[in-house]
Each structure stands twice: as C-alpha cells, then as structure tokens.
Amino acid sequence: MKILLAAINAKYIHSNPAVYSLRAYACKYKDEIGIAEYTINQTIDEILMDIYGRQPDILCISCYLWNIIYVRQVVAEIPKILPDVRIWLGGPEVSFNGSEILEAHPCLTGVMCGEGEETFLELMEYYHGQREKGADQMEAEQGTGGVCPGESLTLEQVRGIVYRDESGNIQVNPLRPVMDLSSVPFVYGHIEDFRNRIIYYESSRGCPFSCSYCLSSIDKCLRFRDIELVKKELQFFIDHEVPQVKFVDRTFNCRHDHAMAVWSYIKEHDRGITNFHFEVAADLLNEEEIHLIREMRPGLIQLEIGVQSANEETIREIRRKMDLDRVGQVTARIRETGNVHQHLDLIAGLPYENYESFVRSFNRVYAMKPDQLQLGFLKVLKGSLMHEKAREYSLIYQERPPYEVLSTKWLSYGDIVCLKKVEEMVEVYYNSAQFKHTLAHLEQEFSSPFAMYEAFALYYEAEGLSKISHSRLARYEIIYRFIRERQVKNTEEYREWLTLDLYLRDNVKNRPDFLGESRVSREEAAAFYKKEAEEFRYLKGYESFDRNQIRKMTHLERIKGRLLLFDYRNRDRLTNDAAVYCVDDSGGAGS
C-alpha cells in the first residue's frame, strides 16, 4: 500500500512539520508512507503530475489558510486521474467544519479533526486490516486454507474523524482526547532534508488564553514536552548549526520554569550560529527572565509579541488579558541592551476599534520602538468565537481564505483601504530598517508617527507610485522627493540622514544623483586607503588584502562634518548594519 502525505507550503523555505510528525508517529508503516511538499507558487498541473507519478492508494493533505484554495483545486482533479485513491484532509482549516467540507467535495473519503498523530496511525491500522482481511477472505473462498481474520479496527472506532460511510452518508465520530506531547517523535533526525528551510519546533501545545479571534484558544488542555527531551532536541539543532528554529508554542513563556529551562540551555550551549524565535506575552516576563534575556548573545533569540490593540474595551471584548503599560516597560528593558529583535503585532478590524482608536493603538505601540511592527488585519476563522459573533459586530469578511475583514460596526471598508496603504508604507520604510535615522527625524515633522505614514501613503497614491515594484535606491529617491515637496526645514540635513542610512546597508559604488557630489575627494580617499593598508588602524582582519581590495570592500563618506568609514565585512548581528568608524587624525577609532 502506498500512502502519500502532501503539504502545500506558502514558500519553499517553509517546511510542514505536521506531515513529518504523522509519518514518524506511524513509524511501523514508514516504508509505505511518502511525503511530498509543494508550494502555492507551483501550478496545479505540476502538483497533479507529481502526485500521479507517485500513484498513492491513500492521499492525505494538510490544510491551512494559505493553501486551502489550492487543496480544493487538487482534490477536485485527483479522482479524475486516480479514480481509486482515498483522499483524507487534516489541519486547522478543515478541523472545525468537517461535514461541510465533505458535503462540498463528494470525492473526499474523510477529514481528520484536531491532533492527527494518533488518528492517522489508527487509520493506517484500519486500512492495513482491510487489506489483510481482503486477502484472507480471497484465500478462504479459493479453498487454499486461509482463515477469515478476527475483529479488526473499523472507521466507527477511530476517534477524531468525519467520514463518508459505505452508503455515502457523512458520519461524525467523537473527538479524540489530547495526547501526551512527549510521545510525538522528533522529526528532524535527517536534518539534511531540511537544508535551506525554516525549522519549526513545538515544546508545548494549547494556549492558556481565550482570544476570540484565535483557534488556539479552543484547545484548553495546555501540555508541555518533557524538558529533558526538549534539551536533547535543542542540542541537535545547535550541533548541526541550524540557522533558525521557530518555536510554534502559542505563548512560550506562559510557564516560568519551562521558559527559563529552555532559554538557559540555549544560552549556555550557544555556538554563535542558531537563532531561536519565540512568541511571548511580554507582560508575563518576570525579572529573572528579563535578566537572562538581556545577557544573551545578540541574535540568539528573537521575540514576537502580540499586542493587537491598545483600546481597553477592545481587549476586554476579545477576551485577552494584557497589561499594556507592563508591555511597554518590558520591551524597553530588552531594547536597552540591543541584543534581541522584537516584533510587535497589531490587528485592525477588532470590535470597538474605529479608525481613530486604531491610530491611537498604532502610535502607542510605535512608541515602544519595535524592530518590526506588523499591521495585520483580522481573519475570521471558522470555529472561533469571533466567527460566532460576526453578526453582532456587523462583521463583514471575505468569503475566500484567509477570510479577512472588510468592515465592522466601527470600521468601514474605506477605513480598511486607508489602513492597507499605511501598512505598505510601514512595511517598506519602517520594517525594512533601511531608513532608521531619516524616519526618526522626519516623524517629528508630523503630529504623530501614524500621520507620517498616512502622508506617505497619500503621496504614493497622488504620484502614481503604488502597485509598482520599486528598487531599494528608488525608495530613497522617493522619500527624498517627499521630504522636499513637504517643504520641511533643513532639507539638506535629511540628505545627510539618507546618506547615512544608505551606506549603513549598501556599498553603493554608483552614487545616486539625489545624494549630490561626494564630500570625500579622490585624493583624500586614496591617501586614507594607502595609510590604512600600511597600519590597519580601523580595519582589523583586512591584513591579507591590498588597498584596492580594501577600498572595494568598504566606503568612505563625510556626513555632518565627520569622515566615516563603513566596514561591510563586519555587520551588526541584529540589524545587519555595517560597522562604522569615525576617522580622525589623532589615531583613535570611534565606532
């Protein structure tokens, strides 16, 4: 029997731990179970041809918001080319409306709901029992001495599935009790199969909170993987120098001893390569945890913090517990040491949040100076409390995944459109971290940071700059034109800040026109590099290069009266900015 576990990922660099976990848990059938990972960038024909080439008897597909449209197209066509294949779906996008999914797709055999490891194993046992039963019956009928088998597992006995019985009727079985997370096998033993992919890892399942927009709140049974097992698996990632491991725990720091054990271990065993990503509730971080985080190697961990809204009425309505003042204090403490990337999230379209309220939420979170600020939009997920209360909130959302909000009682579609345009400007100018110095000064020209990005968005619209893929240099030119047309004071000073921002990231040899002539003459640069190639006062580690090579690998620029040397071989582990030295005549080097 051939079983194929298929995943359609959003990008090639993503991996799907679910299908690997199912195969690992059903290890006694592993020789019959294949895995196929595709992406939404592939054509349906490519996926169909690959599945056909594998000739599975049973096809199981993992379903999420980002791939369900593609999954529906695939399952509509597969029976035409593989008429005998049995098709099962699983994953969060089908777990809460299995009957509806089967009604919409007559070709489907069934849906696995909730945790899939034990369910998938029992399905494998059922199908192998059916195969053995069929062979034994055939032998008995042919008089070869075969014996009819005893009772075997039936679909009626498999918990956590919705399926179509032999008469074509849809049957809904009871849900399966949650499993012991430590019993799930480690799936990354063959780490070479995940080269150039993001590694996802879970040390807990479930969530202690009850946020009305989230499906994680439905699973009230919070469980943790045995910490000694976790340490062993973390060491595996460290030893194999995996670039990044993303913990998928919904609120990683909800249990202090668990969080401290993990963070202490990776700090003590760090080899300077692996980065670990965690989703945390910042207001739950205590002094011991903050102290440990502040002592970590720059880039060892990064934190994603869901704020969602600063409107207290909104926070209460979505059943979220959060001390926003504490969030601000904690993120500031962590930011002081400059060693941890902090990513803060906001959600537009939540109840009781209108445009003005969202602007206040944005400005308050922006003031926390996150390394990235994600301005997201509410997704109305089937099975969530938000979905149940959609009518009460006059919540209109798209019929197609990801079921994104279109309007609410408090926020019009026009408001959503405006926020979408602001989101693009935040992504391009703030989250890229390419304009840090320029933005820090420019936002003071406006009544608020939001007002600045709103003005950016209006400028893009007026100049016909939207929906165009601009180069990085073009973005610098656009913001400079924007500054000039705003007639802000000290335009020349902004040219200086843009110059600094540009050369911090890029060793641009063809100087952009808007920067004007370099204030470092060729003679001055030549003299500096000749001397540096002899003395190496600033560029330690360049001793094996000659002065022409050194000149190509660095950049000299005079900014605000200071001669700065940009060193692109040595970059900040957190920001990727080049190291910068203030060149003087006294023999000192300022970074």
Side-chain angles (χ1 to χ4, degrees):
M1 184 180 296
K2 290 184 179 180
I3 302 99
L4 181 62
L5 294 169
I8 304 177
N9 302 326
K11 297 178 181 178
Y12 171 77
I13 62 169
H14 295 171
S15 58
N16 186 303
V19 291
Y20 291 94
S21 185
L22 295 187
R23 182 174 68 177
Y25 199 80
C27 59
K28 67 180 179 180
Y29 303 116
K30 65 180 180 180
D31 293 338
E32 300 177 30
I33 302 172
I35 289 179
E37 290 191 88
Y38 311 102
T39 78
I40 60 175
N41 297 314
Q42 293 178 257
T43 66
I44 297 300
D45 282 344
E46 283 182 79
I47 297 173
L48 288 176
M49 286 189 288
D50 187 75
I51 293 174
Y52 178 80
R54 295 169 185 264
Q55 290 287 304
D57 300 298
I58 300 170
L59 173 63
C60 304
I61 309 179
S62 185
C63 303
Y64 300 88
L65 276 177
W66 60 81
N67 73 5
I68 189 63
I69 290 177
Y70 296 85
V71 171
R72 287 172 177 168
Q73 293 176 24
V74 168
V75 300
E77 307 299 341
I78 282 293
K80 300 174 184 176
I81 57 175
L82 294 170
D84 297 324
V85 71
R86 299 172 181 86
I87 305 175
W88 286 83
L89 302 185
E93 187 54 23
V94 295
S95 283
F96 301 99
N97 61 337
S99 296
E100 180 183 325
I101 295 293
L102 287 180
E103 288 172 359
H105 300 280
C107 57
L108 291 178
T109 304
V111 172
M112 290 179 272
C113 304
E115 289 182 317
E117 288 91 351
E118 292 178 336
T119 301
F120 177 70
L121 174 59
E122 290 189 5
L123 283 177
M124 292 303 96
E125 291 171 346
Y126 162 75
Y127 280 116
H128 282 80
Q130 290 293 101
R131 181 177 64 180
E132 292 162 8
K133 179 179 177 181
D136 288 345
Q137 284 179 333
M138 184 177 296
E139 289 180 355
E141 290 169 0
Q142 293 175 349
T144 57
V147 179
C148 290
E151 291 295 321
S152 60
L153 192 69
T154 65
L155 284 181
E156 290 89 344
Q157 296 172 304
V158 179
R159 286 194 166 200
I161 63 171
V162 178
Y163 66 99
R164 208 182 305 275
D165 64 21
E166 294 181 359
S167 301
N169 298 316
I170 295 174
Q171 304 295 336
V172 181
N173 286 3
L175 293 176
R176 180 177 296 279
V178 298
M179 65 187 300
D180 176 6
L181 192 56
S182 297
S183 68
V184 177
F186 183 65
V187 302
Y188 295 112
H190 297 286
I191 196 66
E192 62 276 6
D193 296 340
F194 298 89
R195 189 173 289 113
N196 301 320
R197 313 281 288 278
I198 295 174
I199 299 298
Y200 298 96
Y201 180 78
E202 62 177 348
S203 68
S204 67
R205 280 184 186 172
C207 184
F209 301 114
S210 303
C211 303
S212 63
Y213 53 83
C214 183
L215 293 180
S216 295
S217 62
I218 296 174
D219 183 356
K220 296 299 181 186
C221 189
L222 178 61
R223 31 259 113 112
F224 294 83
R225 195 165 176 82
D226 178 76
I227 193 60
E228 295 307 315
L229 194 57
V230 171
K231 290 177 181 179
K232 178 182 176 182
E233 291 161 356
L234 293 177
Q235 190 62 52
F236 178 88
F237 296 136
I238 294 169
D239 289 345
H240 287 81
E241 299 186 341
V242 173
Q244 185 179 57
V245 176
K246 297 191 78 169
F247 275 65
V248 295
D249 304 43
R250 300 313 301 164
T251 307
F252 174 76
N253 63 319
C254 63
R255 201 175 89 184
H256 171 69
D257 62 333
H258 181 81
M260 282 297 295
V262 170
W263 284 338
S264 296
Y265 189 87
I266 62 176
K267 178 179 179 293
E268 292 166 9
H269 296 80
D270 177 38
R271 292 188 177 180
I273 301 295
T274 306
N275 164 266
F276 294 91
H277 176 103
F278 302 93
E279 293 185 35
V280 301
D283 53 327
L284 296 184
L285 290 172
N286 62 26
E287 287 303 311
E288 186 180 14
E289 291 165 337
I290 295 170
H291 180 75
L292 177 61
I293 289 171
R294 284 165 58 96
E295 290 186 330
M296 289 179 177
R297 180 256 302 172
L300 174 59
I301 72 169
Q302 62 189 51
L303 302 178
E304 183 172 349
I305 300 165
V307 179
Q308 320 314 8
S309 174
N311 184 319
E312 292 183 2
E313 191 173 13
T314 297
I315 293 298
R316 284 194 301 271
E317 183 64 21
I318 63 175
R319 302 187 177 185
R320 185 173 178 79
K321 296 178 180 179
M322 180 180 59
D323 182 341
L324 193 56
D325 290 334
R326 175 66 180 165
V327 172
Q329 294 164 8
V330 168
T331 53
R333 293 274 307 283
I334 294 173
R335 188 176 67 249
E336 283 175 354
T337 49
N339 64 327
V340 176
H341 175 100
Q342 297 185 95
H343 176 131
L344 272 60
D345 297 334
L346 283 170
I347 297 179
L350 294 174
Y352 295 102
E353 184 121 81
N354 59 22
Y355 193 85
E356 292 72 24
S357 169
F358 188 82
V359 169
R360 290 192 293 272
S361 291
F362 179 95
N363 287 330
R364 185 162 181 186
V365 175
Y366 190 90
M368 297 178 190
K369 300 181 181 179
D371 297 286
Q372 282 198 316
L373 172 54
Q374 181 177 328
L375 197 171
F377 293 83
L378 176 66
K379 295 168 179 59
V380 186
L381 306 178
K382 294 179 177 118
S384 69
L385 180 61
M386 189 67 67
H387 182 266
E388 294 177 13
K389 302 188 79 170
R391 180 171 295 183
E392 178 184 338
Y393 300 148
S394 300
L395 177 52
I396 308 300
Y397 55 94
Q398 295 179 0
E399 289 298 318
R400 61 184 176 88
Y403 316 113
E404 198 168 86
V405 62
L406 294 172
S407 65
T408 72
K409 188 184 295 186
W410 304 272
L411 204 64
S412 70
Y413 180 64
D415 294 333
I416 295 287
V417 170
C418 291
L419 292 177
K420 286 277 187 182
K421 295 174 181 177
V422 169
E423 175 202 22
E424 182 184 357
M425 295 299 99
V426 171
E427 192 65 29
V428 167
Y429 287 102
Y430 186 83
N431 288 344
S432 68
Q434 295 166 11
F435 305 88
K436 291 181 292 189
H437 298 86
T438 305
L439 292 178
H441 290 83
L442 186 57
E443 66 187 50
Q444 298 173 26
E445 309 279 352
F446 294 84
S447 60
S448 72
F450 186 92
M452 178 181 68
Y453 292 105
E454 193 175 44
F456 271 151
L458 291 172
Y459 179 77
Y460 263 68
E461 193 73 22
E463 297 296 315
L465 300 170
S466 301
K467 300 179 179 66
I468 297 174
S469 180
H470 298 285
S471 69
R472 185 178 297 183
L473 284 180
R475 299 288 190 186
Y476 284 92
E477 293 167 353
I478 291 169
I479 193 173
Y480 183 63
R481 293 201 306 268
F482 171 76
I483 290 168
R484 291 185 62 185
E485 293 192 20
R486 293 284 301 185
Q487 297 182 342
V488 302
K489 297 177 181 177
N490 304 318
T491 303
E492 184 59 33
E493 187 173 326
Y494 282 102
R495 193 203 303 265
E496 302 257 15
W497 294 124
L498 282 169
T499 304
L500 176 59
D501 283 331
L502 175 62
Y503 285 110
L504 276 171
R505 284 300 186 87
D506 293 300
N507 188 7
V508 180
K509 295 307 181 184
N510 294 321
R511 191 176 183 84
D513 291 339
F514 77 92
L515 291 187
E517 292 294 325
S518 173
R519 295 175 183 174
V520 181
S521 69
R522 291 186 178 182
E523 294 75 17
E524 184 179 13
F528 169 80
Y529 282 110
K530 180 177 182 298
K531 188 175 182 179
E532 185 64 17
E534 295 169 352
E535 301 178 1
F536 295 101
R537 295 163 65 199
Y538 306 100
L539 299 173
K540 309 301 181 185
Y542 280 76
E543 289 80 3
S544 62
F545 301 102
D546 63 36
R547 63 182 177 181
N548 289 326
Q549 291 172 316
I550 294 173
R551 188 167 187 169
K552 290 179 181 178
M553 298 161 68
T554 62
H555 179 75
L556 269 181
E557 188 75 30
R558 182 166 277 105
I559 299 175
K560 299 184 77 64
R562 297 185 301 168
L563 185 59
L564 302 181
L565 174 64
F566 295 82
D567 175 5
Y568 297 102
R569 290 186 75 210
N570 295 297
R571 291 179 178 269
D572 187 289
R573 292 288 299 270
L574 208 62
T575 66
N576 203 39
D577 286 348
V580 183
Y581 310 102
C582 184
V583 176
D584 57 38
D585 296 324
S586 63
S591 178

